[in-house]
Structures are given as C-alpha cells and as structure tokens.
Amino acid sequence: MKTFVSSISGKTFPISSKMLGSTLRSSIFDLVKEDFPEFSKESLISSNELDGYKEKYISTILKNELGELKQLDQLVVESLSNNQVLNASIDQEEINESFGERIADKVANFGGSWTFILSFLAFLMCWILLNIYWLSDKGFDPYPFILLNLLLSCIAALQAPVIMMSQNRQEDKDRKRAQNDYMINLKAELEIRTLHEKIDHLLIHKEQELIEMQQFQLDIVKDLIEKIDKLERNTHDK
C-alpha cells in the first residue's frame, strides 16, 4: 500500500488520505499555520488530521457568535467533523417507556376526551336517578349523595397527579424535540456556510489556474511571434 508522510506530524498515512496545503480553504490553512508555522501550500496533511482542524474551525465560529459552546453545540461540531447524521432518540424512548408511564398517558388521553365527559355525565345521571326515583331516596347513597361526593373527590385526587405526570413527560418530549430541531438547524447553517467557503475557494483556485493558463498561452504566442519575426528577418536578409 502506498503511503506518504504528513508534514505536520511526521506520521505515515495511506496515500488515499493525502491532502495538499494548496487545496485547503484559507480559513483552515490559517489554523494549521498557527500550530505549524512551517506549513506551506506544498506541504502534505492527512484527511484525519484535517478533520481535527475542521472541528476546531467550527468551534471557533460558534464561540465567536455564541460566546461559549453548550453541550448541544458540541454535539453538532462533533457530528460535522465526523460526518455523522443527527438523529433524535425520542421515538426510541417511547418504545422503552415503563408500564406506569404508558398507563399515565392513556389515563390523560381518556380523561381529556369527550368520551370521558359524556360517559361520566351518563354515570352521574344513572347514580342520581337510581337513588332518588328507583330506590325512592332510600338507596345505598340517598340525597345529598355523600358517597358520590366522596367518589368524585377520590377520582379528582387521583386523576390530577396522573395528568400532571403525563404533561411533564410531554413537556420533556417537546423539550428534546426542540433541542433536536436546534441542533439540526445549527448543523444545516454551518454546513451551508462551509459550502459557501468551499465554493469561494474553488472559484478563486479556478481563477488562478485560468490566469496561469492564459499567461502560459501568451508566452507561447509571444515565442511564436518572436520565431516568425526572426524567420522573416532571416528571409529578408537573404
């Protein structure tokens, strides 16, 4: 396997990871230059070493704009430098939720539906009619329905914390989704900015190549003109 020696670390890397200093963007080149002043356009660097400077460059951008890197920002930087895809684990957490959490969600969903409201109204009407009319107000819970009030108080006392538990879990899911959206948007913004820099670098590099090619063509034309003039002078002298 063909290898090359890095100009900054002196280590040996596969030839497939070789990068020439002239191909680096100016921003990345300046960062390498800060650590290794002898680094030049003709120096060699591996793609693995270059990934570290890409991460450093992105971290510098975020620090300049945000003041300091948060944990979410650091995750974005690492995903960019390692070419990884950001993926939320919210759906996986829903799969791994406990039995009590699933019960809390079902109770909250049922307790906040018209099915519960209409069913509970029907239950109350049946309870009242059963004790007043069918049992002639001598049933198991005569007016003013003390047992029914106790039952309603127990249901409210149990339902409220269960609903709050479900709401807290939903807020936690919304917070994680918002964090994931923030990381995705930040990564997209940084990738777009990096893409713009790459395009600018390619345009500048291409313009330099065109200028050099034009200069080379002009030199050839100039040599041809000089040769033609020389031939004409020689012919005229004869």
Side-chain angles (χ1 to χ4, degrees):
M1 182 179 64
K2 295 182 178 180
T3 60
F4 76 100
V5 178
S6 172
S7 301
I8 62 176
S9 64
K11 297 181 180 179
T12 302
F13 296 93
I15 196 67
S16 59
S17 65
K18 184 177 71 173
M19 302 289 293
L20 195 61
S22 58
T23 62
L24 303 182
R25 303 196 308 275
S26 58
S27 54
I28 305 294
F29 183 84
D30 293 339
L31 287 178
V32 181
K33 192 76 173 177
E34 289 179 2
D35 296 337
F36 302 93
E38 69 279 2
F39 190 78
S40 63
K41 297 290 185 180
E42 292 74 24
S43 300
L44 300 178
I45 184 175
S46 69
S47 57
N48 294 333
E49 295 170 328
L50 185 60
D51 289 339
Y53 282 98
K54 288 180 180 178
E55 181 176 351
K56 183 178 179 181
Y57 170 66
I58 296 172
S59 300
T60 303
I61 293 177
L62 292 178
K63 287 180 180 179
N64 292 336
E65 295 185 357
L66 303 178
E68 60 177 344
L69 286 183
K70 300 178 182 178
Q71 183 179 4
L72 297 180
D73 302 328
Q74 189 62 39
L75 291 175
V76 174
V77 172
E78 292 177 357
S79 68
L80 279 173
S81 60
N82 298 328
N83 294 323
Q84 295 177 344
V85 178
L86 289 174
N87 186 21
S89 59
I90 298 175
D91 295 333
Q92 185 65 30
E93 291 180 0
E94 291 179 355
I95 296 175
N96 298 329
E97 62 189 5
S98 64
F99 175 77
E101 292 173 341
R102 291 196 297 270
I103 293 297
D105 290 341
K106 292 181 179 179
V107 170
N109 292 333
F110 179 71
S113 64
W114 278 106
T115 302
F116 172 77
I117 295 174
L118 296 176
S119 301
F120 202 70
L121 286 176
F123 170 76
L124 292 178
M125 293 300 297
C126 292
W127 185 289
I128 294 172
L129 293 175
L130 179 64
N131 284 278
I132 291 180
Y133 295 102
W134 293 338
L135 300 179
S136 301
D137 207 14
K138 295 180 181 179
F140 57 87
D141 188 25
Y143 183 83
F145 314 114
I146 297 175
L147 180 59
L148 179 60
N149 289 329
L150 176 61
L151 181 62
L152 294 177
S153 299
C154 292
I155 292 176
L158 293 175
Q159 190 181 30
V162 171
I163 292 176
M164 290 180 64
M165 184 189 308
S166 178
Q167 289 178 343
N168 291 336
R169 291 188 62 251
Q170 188 62 42
E171 289 177 359
D172 186 58
K173 290 180 182 178
D174 294 339
R175 177 180 58 81
K176 291 180 179 178
R177 287 192 178 97
Q179 290 177 350
N180 187 68
D181 292 340
Y182 167 78
M183 290 191 295
I184 291 175
N185 292 334
L186 179 59
K187 183 178 180 180
E189 180 181 352
L190 292 174
E191 286 181 336
I192 292 173
R193 181 179 300 184
T194 304
L195 182 61
H196 280 300
E197 291 185 357
K198 288 181 179 179
I199 293 175
D200 293 340
H201 173 72
L202 289 175
L203 289 175
I204 294 173
H205 190 68
K206 198 67 178 179
E207 288 177 356
Q208 292 176 348
E209 289 182 351
L210 290 175
I211 292 173
E212 292 176 358
M213 186 177 295
Q214 289 177 351
Q215 185 63 41
F216 178 72
Q217 292 174 348
L218 289 174
D219 292 339
I220 293 176
V221 172
K222 184 178 179 180
D223 291 340
L224 289 174
I225 293 174
E226 291 178 353
K227 289 180 180 180
I228 293 173
D229 291 339
K230 186 177 181 180
L231 289 173
E232 289 180 351
R233 285 197 300 269
N234 292 334
T235 305
H236 181 73
D237 292 341
K238 290 179 179 180

